[in-house]
């Protein structure tokens, strides 16, 4: 049993080095590698363990992992769970908090490592491909500490959209947040601008879904009333 009471797999060793300790490359795919390595030692992994695993990688790394995990088809209100977690992190980014913090009730939530590894392996190859399109340090003045506050302002409403029970409504906000987090991790200012543009498109998508849903409901309500 580990410190959170989660069963370890036979013959496993939970002592996996956290991201940011110099053993994992500071890239998005490297972050996934660290989390997947931790998953190999247990049957379930909590959000708190993911936070510990990322260590010094900071806000954008944690936001990226959580927001991509929101796409995993897990039974239950996990879109709301991960969306809420990202919203809390966004608020901390806005106020310039140096280290991520999440409430204990969210830190204790866990998911099956089998599902996470399956989805994470696909994410890893996708992230590695996307990284080839980035230029770390490009216009890095646009992806500095103060820009992180602006990113938090954009990520916060997008995280609320992820929490809403809208069919396919969370996909564009997830990708917009992922693009922003990617840019902050690699300090790619040009990519951050593209991420902010994607956030505008995601907002327009969710608004259109709401409008279409309202129009549809208004059309069928007289028929069922």
């Amino acid at each position: 049993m580990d410190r959170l009471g989660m069963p370890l797999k036979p013959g496993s060793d939970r002592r996996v080095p956290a991201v940011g300790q110099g053993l994992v490359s500071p890239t998005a795919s490297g972050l996934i590698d660290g989390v997947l390595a931790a998953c190999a030692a247990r049957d379930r992994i909590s959000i708190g363990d993911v936070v510990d695993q990322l260590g010094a990688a900071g806000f954008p790394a944690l936001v990226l992992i959580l927001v991509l995990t929101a796409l995993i088809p897990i039974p239950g209100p996990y879109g709301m769970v991960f969306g809420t977690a990202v919203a809390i992190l966004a608020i901390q980014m806005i106020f310039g908090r140096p280290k991520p913090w999440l409430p204990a009730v969210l830190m204790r939530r866990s998911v099956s490592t089998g599902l996470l590894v399956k989805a994470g392996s696909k994410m890893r190859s996708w992230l590695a491909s996307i990284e080839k399109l980035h230029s770390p340090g490009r216009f890095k003045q646009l992806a500095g500490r103060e820009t992180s506050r602006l990113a938090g302002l954009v990520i916060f409403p997008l995280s609320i959209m992820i929490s809403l029970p809208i069919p396919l409504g969370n996909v564009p906000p997830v990708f917009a947040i992922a693009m922003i987090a990617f840019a902050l991790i690699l300090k790619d200012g040009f990519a951050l601008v593209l991420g902010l543009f994607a956030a505008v498109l995601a907002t327009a998508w969710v608004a259109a879904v709401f409008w279409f849903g309202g129009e549809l409901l208004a059309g069928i309500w007289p028929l069922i009333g």
Side-chain angles (χ1 to χ4, degrees), residues 1 6 9 17 22 30 47-48 69 73 88 92 112 127 136 174 194 221:
M1 302 284 282
M6 295 180 181
K9 294 179 180 178
I47 293 177
T69 306
I88 292 172
Q92 295 173 54
S112 165
L127 293 177
V174 163
L194 294 180
W221 184 257

Side-chain angles (χ1 to χ4, degrees), residues 16 32 58 101 108 116 122 128 140 174 177 188 209 217 225:
V16 179
I32 293 289
W101 172 88
R108 288 193 296 266
L116 193 58
K122 294 180 180 179
K140 63 180 180 180
V174 163
I177 294 176
D188 187 340
V209 171
L217 182 61

Side-chain angles (χ1 to χ4, degrees), residues 75-112:
Y78 277 91
M80 180 176 295
V81 171
F82 292 117
T84 300
V86 172
I88 292 172
L89 293 174
I91 292 173
Q92 295 173 54
M93 291 173 66
I94 294 170
F95 287 98
R97 182 180 172 87
K99 184 178 179 180
W101 172 88
L102 289 172
V105 64
L106 289 177
M107 296 278 272
R108 288 193 296 266
R109 296 300 293 262
S110 66
V111 298
S112 165

Side-chain angles (χ1 to χ4, degrees), residues 14-27 30-31 34 49 51-58:
R14 185 182 182 278
R15 293 173 293 178
V16 179
V19 175
Q21 291 182 350
L23 299 180
V24 181
S25 59
T27 61
L31 298 174
D49 280 345
V51 173
D52 290 343
Q53 192 65 30
L54 293 175

Side-chain angles (χ1 to χ4, degrees), residues 129-216:
S129 299
I130 296 296
E131 283 170 352
K132 296 178 182 178
L133 303 177
H134 282 263
S135 295
R138 177 174 50 181
F139 303 119
K140 63 180 180 180
Q141 64 273 19
L142 297 179
R145 181 175 178 82
E146 290 304 315
T147 310
S148 179
R149 295 173 182 261
L150 171 62
L153 283 170
V154 176
I155 290 173
F156 179 74
L158 292 173
S159 63
I160 300 300
M161 297 176 199
I162 294 173
S163 303
L164 299 175
I166 307 173
L168 300 179
N170 68 336
V171 176
V174 163
F175 279 107
I177 294 176
M179 289 177 67
I180 293 171
F182 238 125
L184 292 176
I185 291 170
L186 300 177
K187 298 189 184 304
D188 187 340
F190 179 71
L192 181 60
V193 172
L194 294 180
L196 296 177
F197 180 68
V200 174
L201 295 180
T203 302
W205 168 266
V206 173
V209 171
F210 261 111
W211 179 85
F212 179 77
E215 290 293 308
L216 181 62

